[in-house]
Every structure is written in C-alpha cells, then in structure tokens.
Amino acid sequence: MENWQELEGKLFMRTIKRLPVTLVRGKGARVWDTEGKEYLDFVGGWAVNSLGHCHPVVVKALAEQAKTLIQVSNQFYTIPQVQLAKLLVDNSCLNRVFFCNSGAEANEGAMKLARRYGKLHLNGAYEIITTYGSFHGRTLATVAATGQDKFQQPYIPLPDGFINVDYDSIEAIKAATTGRTCGVMVEPIQGEGGVNVPHDKYLKEIRAWCNQKGILFILDEIQTGIGRIGSLFGYEQYGVEPDIMTLAKGLGSGVPIAVFLAKERASVFAPGEHGSTYGGNPLVCAAGLATLKFIIDNDIPGKVKKLGQYFIAGLEKLKAKFGFIVEIRGRGLLLALKFTDDIAQDVVLACLKEGLLVNAVKPNTLRFIPPLIIVEKDIDEALNILEKVLARRL
Ligand SMILES: Cc1ncc(COP(=O)(O)O)c(C=O)c1O
C-alpha cells in the first residue's frame, strides 16, 4: 500500500500539521482509517458534516444530479439553484441570495456588497468594523477582517478599510464608527476564536446602533448557521435580523457551497458587479437543497438544542470531577471545554487513540462540533472516552 502520509509530506505546501491518520470512509457520525479503525467524529469536517458522512439524502441528490447536469455557466437559469434560494429565503429574514464556494468567498462578497452600499447610499463610506478573536476566512480582505494577529501578521500590509475592535462590546463598536463606516460584521458566537459567547443583548445592541447610524449589520453565520447552535440561524435566538448574512459549512453537509443573503434594501449589486464561475452550480445546490430540506423537515435545530443541553450536562459532570477543567462554553452543538493549561492537543491525540475525533480550537481549549444527527448514545460514548483520557491527568 502507498504510504500516503509520507507522500503528502513531499507534495504539499506546509500549511497544516495533520493528525497521523488517513481517513478513507465515513457513515453517519463515524469514519474509518486505512487500517480499518473506527472513529466517532466530533469534528465533522470542522462543523461541515451537518448530516454526518454520506447521508443517504445527500448521496441520492448528488448521484441523481451528477447523472443529469453538473455545471453550466451562471448565464443560464438552473433549477436546483432556484429551489435552494427559495428554501433559504422562505426560511430566513433575508430576501436575496448570491451563491459561492467557500466561507471566505461568502464573506468577501458580503463585504463587497456593504462597500457598494456605502458608495451608493453613505457618501462612499467603505470601512467595516469587525472584532478581535473573529475568524472570517483566508483571503486578503477576510484576513484583514479577521481580528487575530497570527493570521494577519504574515501578510501585512493588508487591504484598507477594516477596523478590528473588542468583541462583546457595543462601546467599542460605537467608538470605532465614523462617517467612513458602511457596516459592522460579527459572528453570533465566535467559532474559530475559541467558541466565545457574547452577552445576550450584544446582537440587539449592534442592530440598534446600525439602525441609528444607517449602516449595515452583517452576520457571519458560516459556523453558527444551519442548525448548529439550536436554531436554523443563530440570529433567531437573539431577537435580531441582520441586513446581510453569510452561510457555508453545514449547508452542503460536506459539499462545498456557500451563500450570502441580503435584505432587499441592501441588495445593491448591479449586473456584472459580482460573480462566480462555480457558485451555486446544479451539483452543489442539489446537495444543499437535500441537506437544508432534511434539516427543516426533521426539526434538526430543535433536536440540536436538546442534544446540546444533554452534552453540557455531561461536560458539567467532567468539570466537577476534574479540577483542571475551568469552563464550558457554547450553545447547541458548538461547544468547548477550557483547561487551566495548554493540554488540548495532548487530549486530542489521546482521544484519537481511543477512537474519538475532537478539535483543539486553542492550546487550552477543546471544541466539539459533531454532525447534527448524532444521538445521546454518541454523546455518552464521547464523554466516556474523554473521561478516560482526562483521568490520566489526575
Ligand atoms: C465564522 C467563519 N467564517 C468564515 C470561515 C471561512 O470559511 P472557509 O474556510 O470555508 O473559507 C470560517 C471557517 O472556519 C468560519 O468559522
């Protein structure tokens, strides 16, 4: 058999330190490696596999669409694209969509839309206020929006027009707002930044401020959207409506699809002002449609809410037992466990050996972002493995 890991080391740019496992197959919340070893997957492709691996409705939709029509240029109408747009609009507070291929591309498009709005309606205002600890993507503009030094430093100078301020502070947003500001962009819960949950009124305060100033409120729901935190979209839990929202990850259950949506008044692109070759092609939209339909029809967000509470109760027991667990954070199935010390990567490796995939979102913090279709028994299994691993540190 080929040594895939050795070959990878020779061929790839060194952008990621992979875990020593080559995965070949997946089903539901389980994956298998080249040796046939089974893992319970609580990483879910980084919060992507909303319906788990190879869910029958997604596989069927992809197979049928692959036999029918995979890609045409966006100069033509295609049916899965319009069907998915309708489902998104019917189930959200937004009116218009633009499909693309990744979270970064969705945010890039959302920010271009806000700039366009600024040019047309706010005397050329172009600055977007974003927050420290956020993660919005890896393109130059989304890196400038991402308020984390480690992502920005290697690429300075970054594009102009992005002001990073403290998260969870409306005062910081107010202080940064000037006549040049066209929008504010935040995540309802910061995912990659460590699963940071702001106080309950934060989004409402931003909404009120954006209304007062006539600027756009952009929500990056790439990680929190599509049921992940126990509602179809995160904003529903906070009593606000954004002007623009971005989605990706869970929307395709593994197939790369992203979208940004806008209220009618913020939807200001003219023909030719934005575009994407693959964006929303029939193949990915068929997967998105099957995924979203399943999530809505089966009240997956409601189930996620209950599963999240069940999981948190189990994590609380671990916290009571192990003094080095200091905090449990998150909502629904976007949860994190913070330790006193930087042991998260050691815990990840130990869990891997025991057949559980988890993610070290920070050196001292584990993150759990499993498929949304897990059941309580899966959570019990994950908690048992975690307990066994953590007990070695007593
Ligand atoms: C909130 C948020 N925005 C944007 C992105 C970037 O998405 P992508 O990696 O698909 O470009 C991520 C990815 O983790 C994310 O969590």
Side-chain angles (χ1 to χ4, degrees), residues 102-104 107 135-137 187 192 220 222-223 249:
S102 69
N107 283 339
F135 187 85
H136 298 296
E187 298 156 77
E192 301 304 305
D220 177 345
I222 284 160
Q223 192 151 152
K249 291 193 181 280

Side-chain angles (χ1 to χ4, degrees), residues 32 40 74 99 109 132 181 184 212 231 240 248 253-254 257 271 308 322 329 357 369:
W32 287 264
L40 176 59
N74 268 319
F99 287 114
Y132 292 124
T181 311
V184 176
Q212 192 179 325
S231 48
V240 297
S253 203
I257 179 169
F322 301 111
R329 294 197 293 258
L357 307 185
I369 34 178

